[in-house]
Amino acid sequence: MSGTAEGPRKIAVLGAGSWGTTFAKVLADSARAAAHARHEPPARTVVLWGRDAEAMGHVARTHVNDRYVPGIRLPGLLQATGDLAAALHGADLVVLAVPAQALRAQLAAAAPHLDPEAVLLSLAKGLERDTGLRMSEVVAEELGRDTDRDAEHWRERTCVLSGPNLAMEIAEEQPTASVVAASTTELATWVAHACRTRYFRPYTNTDVVGTEIGGVVKNVIALSVGIADGRHFGENSKASIITRGLAETTRLALALGGRLETLSGLAGMGDLVATCSSPLSRNRTAGRLLGLGASLAEVQEEMTQTAEGIKSAPAVLALARRHGVDMPITEAVVAILREDLTVDDLAPLLLGREIKSEGTTP
């Protein structure tokens, strides 16, 4: 790792949407708290980058990102810029907070400015639509191609963060916990220390696969819960979808090499419950609009931010089929997105299956 034993000297956050901006705030608050504990001036720089230079100039001047986290005052320590090269210069931790389907293109643009010893932290929760790759796999593949380090080098230096991460609640400093997963406990701990605050508690694990799959599939399950809500199904129905959604998420994670305990923790059950239950959830909101009768085009037009589950669901189903994993809820959601089924067909498809033992096995 570059940086110091105490953590990174400079952190660049790429992506100034709601979660990117919020996580940049977490990082700046963490840096300020660490400096205060040592009775020293802050030694860590945190820079937020966004594509819209004019908007980022406004954030830099006002310390407010009204479009994505309205009403939240950002820390004075947090810098903002529309200059990608400047943001990445000297950064030993680079946080990737761009939508899953835009990640590869963003990595290609960032590669010439990236420190070869930098650590990458992915916040995106999705599968790449065309390849079915997890975000850590996209990072390793793309940077292995675009830099003078190979894919294995970047795989070992790429971490992921997941858990119940509803951005606005965290921006308001409501307490929450999350998980940093990395190839080693040492690396995960190094990153976790950089984002620990009084309101944001990171745990660590070394199950990158399970952590990512939990974050991907919960978006698809949240679409299903949203559809059920739009159809005015009750709490029994939604609880059943959440519970069986966790079972199929776990089946897929285990088939790919993830660990059972990851899916019963913050990156699995914790993230699933938050995303399926909260009106702040973009995927639940998108599902609810579908359940109320909106077309997919109308939902996408109305949504101001990306609902990753819409784009990832077909890739999740394809991945499950390649590994022989039964995922009936995901299959139902994909059929509805493709307009092969109507939302009225959701209930019988979920409940009209053969009698079998409850569990995570196929």
Side-chain angles (χ1 to χ4, degrees), residues 329-358:
I329 297 174
T330 300
E331 191 166 349
V333 169
V334 171
I336 289 169
L337 293 176
R338 290 175 175 165
E339 299 183 344
D340 295 333
L341 294 173
T342 69
V343 292
D344 293 321
D345 297 316
L346 179 65
L349 194 61
L350 292 176
L351 303 178
R353 306 182 69 221
E354 74 280 4
I355 300 298
K356 59 183 289 187
S357 173
E358 182 183 32

Side-chain angles (χ1 to χ4, degrees), residues 199-282:
Y199 59 90
F200 190 84
R201 169 64 159 92
Y203 289 80
T204 63
N205 72 37
T206 55
D207 183 11
V208 173
V209 173
T211 300
E212 285 190 294
I213 291 300
V216 170
V217 184
K218 60 95 183 185
N219 287 331
V220 182
I221 306 305
L223 285 172
S224 183
V225 171
I227 292 169
D229 193 44
R231 301 309 296 160
H232 307 294
F233 293 176
E235 299 308 316
N236 289 339
S237 301
K238 288 180 279 188
S240 297
I241 295 171
I242 292 170
T243 305
R244 296 312 303 162
L246 180 60
E248 65 182 63
T249 304
T250 302
R251 285 197 295 269
L252 181 60
L254 294 179
L256 296 172
R259 298 199 293 265
L260 182 62
E261 61 267 27
T262 302
L263 279 299
S264 64
L266 289 161
M269 182 174 66
D271 198 8
L272 180 66
V273 169
T275 306
C276 290
S277 303
S278 174
L280 296 174
S281 164
R282 288 171 282 182

